[in-house]
Structures are given as structure tokens and as C-alpha cells.
Amino acid sequence: MEVGQMQRAWVEYTRSLFREGFLDAQFQQLQLLQDESNPDFVAEVVSLFFEDSERLLADLTFVLEQQNIDFKKVDAHVHQFKGSSSSIGAQRVKNDCIAFRNFCEEQNIEGCLRCLQQVKQDYYLVKSKLEALIRLEQQIVAAGGSIPMEELSS
Amino acid sequence: MCKRLVQMMQGNIWISLNPLGSAQSMTLVLRFQNRPSYGRATFAPGSSSEQPSSNPQFRGLRVILADDDALNRAVTKKLLEKLGCEVTAVSSGFECLSALSSAENSVRLVVLDIQMPEMDGFEVATRIRKVRSRSWPLIIAVTASAEDNVWERCLQMGMNGMIRKPVLLQGMADELQRVLPRKSFEGRHSAS
């Protein structure tokens, strides 16, 4: 694929991610913060997000498997997950966390378990999409092109 | 340092260093329009960073950023750097206090996450205000809370500003503008 085609693919893919609610304006802001002094900024922040998330999901799974569930702990983890997904612009994950916290407050075990499944699902979805997006960006750059951010506002 | 201060007070001209360390004058037309800089030509060949910030008031502003979350810390740091700030990022209240004391008077602003384990932002602010005046360094709190009384609490603890998470570039720029006096570098730095 030549650069122009890759750039068009990038625009279409990014637009679809925003349109389908996987990512929100916060992610776009991160893209705009990237520059020559830090050309891997987005990739770095995204990988921090993946690390955080894997750990949080493991912790959540563990806490929810216990006989006596410590809802305070659950809430603390979900709160953190909400914070990091919000900082990166992973909209669906963030919204799942909001619902999750409500069930925590009610100490609703069923609800919490369902939320855990939902948030895992949405996390893995956005993870694969972000990985694909970053791969595409790296290919564009490797081919000597630039990321056409300005196309997103049209 | 002096040269930079004087030029900043005049407004439009400031100096940046090229990677070889020698001074290189640069006049920038300032537009706060987010333009993608990735892959585009920089203003001066060899310059290691581009300053798209539209506000010279933040240029060279020394900031300590304290946030225990690695992701938030990376994003907020980048955001502040985009606005021209020189940022030292730390991950706890303790590190913040020690960084501040070793920096003496050169740090103008502390950006503090309120929700930190061990020592939260309120406590850090209280400790800072015990030994420093209310306007130097300035303290901006970063909070996830949507409660109304957070701002009051921030003020009581001696903070000067507050921003809600997630932190956006415009939000940070607005708050910096609000808390910083017009000539924020006057009078405090000795000639060097």
C-alpha cells in the first residue's frame, strides 16, 4: 500500500472509532499532543493504559471471586479504571466503569459480575483497535508520510 | 536566564536552545490552534522541539507535577510542556515536597493530584503553605471529584486553582492564565 492509501485508511479508521464510541475527544487531544520531540507519545501512553488495565482487571477478578466480597476494594479498582480510561479517551470502558460503580454502591454481586464481563469485553475490543491504529500510524511514518490529523476535523 | 526573563517580559520574543546548547533566537507567531505537528517542517532546522503554544506567558514556567498514576502523569506532563512549561514530574507527595525544597524559589507552580495514597494533595498543600507564601509557588489541584465543596477545601488549604479530570489542554491553559499574574517572573529571580 502506498502512503496516500494508508493515510486515507487511517482517517477512515479513526473516524469510525470516534463514531462508534470507542474513543472520545480525549484521545484526539492525546494525538494532538504528539510532536517531533516525542513522536511515540500516543503509543507510550496507550501502552501504559494497557499495563494499568491488565493489572486492574486481574485485581478485580480476584476480589470478586472471594467468598466475602470487599466492595470497597472493588470500588477503588473501578474508580482507578474509570480514571485511566477517561484519561486516554476509551469511552465505552469509561462508561462501563460508571455503571460498575453504581452496582458497587448497591453491593449488588450479580450486577458487579456482569459489569466485570462487560468492561473486559469492551477493554479487549478497544485494545485491539488501538493496536491496529498505532500499527497503521507506524507504517505511515516508516513509509515517510505524516499522520493527517487535520483530516479528522472535516 | 536573565536574558530569557527580559525577553519574556517584552512579550513576543524568546530564546530556545538548539540541541548543541547554543542560543538561537526565535520569533513565533502565536496561534492557539491545534495543528498537527507530526511529520511537518519545524521552524528552525536542528531545533529539538516545536512550541505550538500560543501563550508566551507560560514559556519557561517551572512546574512540579505530582500524580501517582503513571498514565495521568505522562499526559499532564506532556500537556504542560506543550504550553511551554518546564516540568518535573513526581509520583508522590513526599517526592513533591523534597523536589520543591531542593529547587528553592525557582519553581513557580505545583500541579497536584488530590487523590494520592499516603499523602494526598491537601496535605501536600498544607505543608507547602506552612513555609511558603500564598502566591509562591502557586498550587493548582487536579481532582476527579464533581463535588461542589472541593474548591472551598482547596482554597482553605492554600491552593490557588483547581482543574477537573480528565485534564484538557484548554482547561489547563485557562486555569494557568487565571492564576498567574500578568508578569509572573518579576522580582523573584536574582540576576544571573
Side-chain angles (χ1 to χ4, degrees):
Chain A
M1 244 204 270
E2 51 91 37
V3 177
Q5 276 179 285
M6 288 195 277
Q7 286 171 324
R8 276 191 293 282
W10 181 88
V11 172
E12 270 323 300
Y13 194 55
T14 308
R15 278 191 185 148
S16 76
L17 293 178
F18 288 117
R19 199 171 48 235
E20 291 165 27
F22 287 104
L23 298 175
D24 62 28
Q26 185 69 14
F27 184 75
Q28 200 172 1
Q29 190 184 230
L30 295 184
Q31 288 177 308
L32 294 170
L33 285 176
Q34 187 162 280
D35 58 29
E36 281 88 7
S37 70
N38 201 176
D40 297 314
F41 176 66
V42 175
E44 283 167 10
V45 174
V46 167
S47 88
L48 278 172
F49 172 62
F50 291 162
E51 278 172 40
D52 271 2
S53 304
E54 311 276 339
R55 198 194 65 238
L56 284 166
L57 285 172
D59 289 346
L60 274 168
T61 308
F62 179 75
V63 178
L64 284 167
E65 275 171 355
Q66 303 312 301
Q67 282 274 41
N68 292 317
I69 296 176
D70 184 348
F71 284 101
K72 270 185 122 177
K73 270 215 178 110
V74 178
D75 186 69
H77 291 319
V78 177
H79 173 76
Q80 207 178 330
F81 203 6
K82 176 179 163 238
S84 60
S85 57
S86 167
S87 295
I88 204 153
Q91 193 174 262
R92 285 197 195 182
V93 175
K94 179 189 77 178
N95 290 338
D96 291 339
C97 288
I98 293 173
F100 204 153
R101 290 194 85 190
N102 288 334
F103 285 116
C104 273
E105 263 191 63
E106 296 168 16
Q107 307 217 344
N108 182 332
I109 301 180
E110 274 289 325
C112 282
L113 291 171
R114 265 182 290 130
C115 279
L116 180 61
Q117 285 323 300
Q118 185 65 52
V119 81
K120 272 186 181 170
Q121 199 175 304
D122 284 331
Y123 164 69
Y124 285 114
L125 260 175
V126 80
K127 178 173 193 239
S128 66
K129 290 183 185 288
L130 284 170
E131 284 171 334
L133 186 66
I134 289 174
R135 249 195 321 271
L136 188 50
E137 290 183 1
Q138 288 168 344
Q139 282 166 358
I140 292 174
V141 170
S146 65
I147 315 295
M149 305 272 190
E150 67 280 4
E151 298 280 340
L152 293 177
S153 42
S154 50
Chain B
M1 185 66 152
C2 255
K3 205 171 170 190
R4 219 204 291 184
L5 290 173
V6 166
Q7 279 166 325
M8 270 196 291
M9 287 195 272
Q10 283 161 11
N12 288 332
I13 305 171
W14 57 92
I15 292 175
S16 72
L17 298 176
N18 71 16
L20 298 174
S22 51
Q24 183 183 353
S25 286
M26 193 158 56
T27 305
L28 288 177
V29 174
L30 306 162
R31 266 172 289 138
F32 195 49
Q33 179 192 353
N34 283 320
R35 292 181 60 97
S37 54
Y38 199 103
R40 298 204 166 195
T42 52
F43 287 99
S47 106
S48 60
S49 65
E50 188 180 357
Q51 316 298 336
S53 163
S54 66
N55 200 327
Q57 191 180 15
F58 306 145
R59 189 75 176 77
L61 186 71
R62 287 207 54 194
V63 181
I64 290 180
L65 166 66
D67 192 325
D68 66 302
D69 182 86
L71 197 156
N72 289 334
R73 195 167 60 238
V75 174
T76 308
K77 179 174 195 243
K78 184 68 184 171
L79 207 143
L80 287 165
E81 285 173 343
K82 206 70 165 176
L83 293 174
C85 303
E86 281 176 33
V87 185
T88 303
V90 299
S91 58
S92 73
F94 294 105
E95 282 179 49
C96 180
L97 292 172
S98 77
L100 196 57
S101 59
S102 52
E104 291 174 352
N105 267 337
S106 64
V107 171
R108 187 70 187 91
L109 172 68
V110 176
V111 177
L112 270 179
D113 180 32
I114 302 261
Q115 288 100 3
M116 286 191 287
E118 290 164 15
M119 198 195 297
D120 69 18
F122 290 125
E123 179 157 4
V124 176
T126 306
R127 292 199 193 192
I128 292 175
R129 290 299 176 230
K130 274 205 174 110
V131 293
R132 305 285 182 113
S133 82
R134 214 179 177 290
S135 56
W136 196 291
L138 294 167
I139 302 177
I140 291 182
V142 179
T143 177
S145 171
E147 291 165 25
D148 290 326
N149 59 5
V150 179
W151 179 219
E152 279 165 37
R153 243 199 120 186
C154 288
L155 283 176
Q156 276 167 13
M157 300 292 163
M159 295 179 173
N160 308 88
M162 189 190 85
I163 279 198
R164 292 223 164 87
K165 291 189 211 177
V167 184
L168 295 171
L169 193 65
Q170 190 59 56
M172 180 62 87
D174 288 347
E175 192 62 358
L176 286 179
Q177 190 125 18
R178 200 185 64 76
V179 307
L180 286 164
R182 281 195 63 84
K183 288 182 180 181
S184 56
F185 299 90
E186 236 176 357
R188 285 285 180 162
H189 294 277
S190 52
S192 52

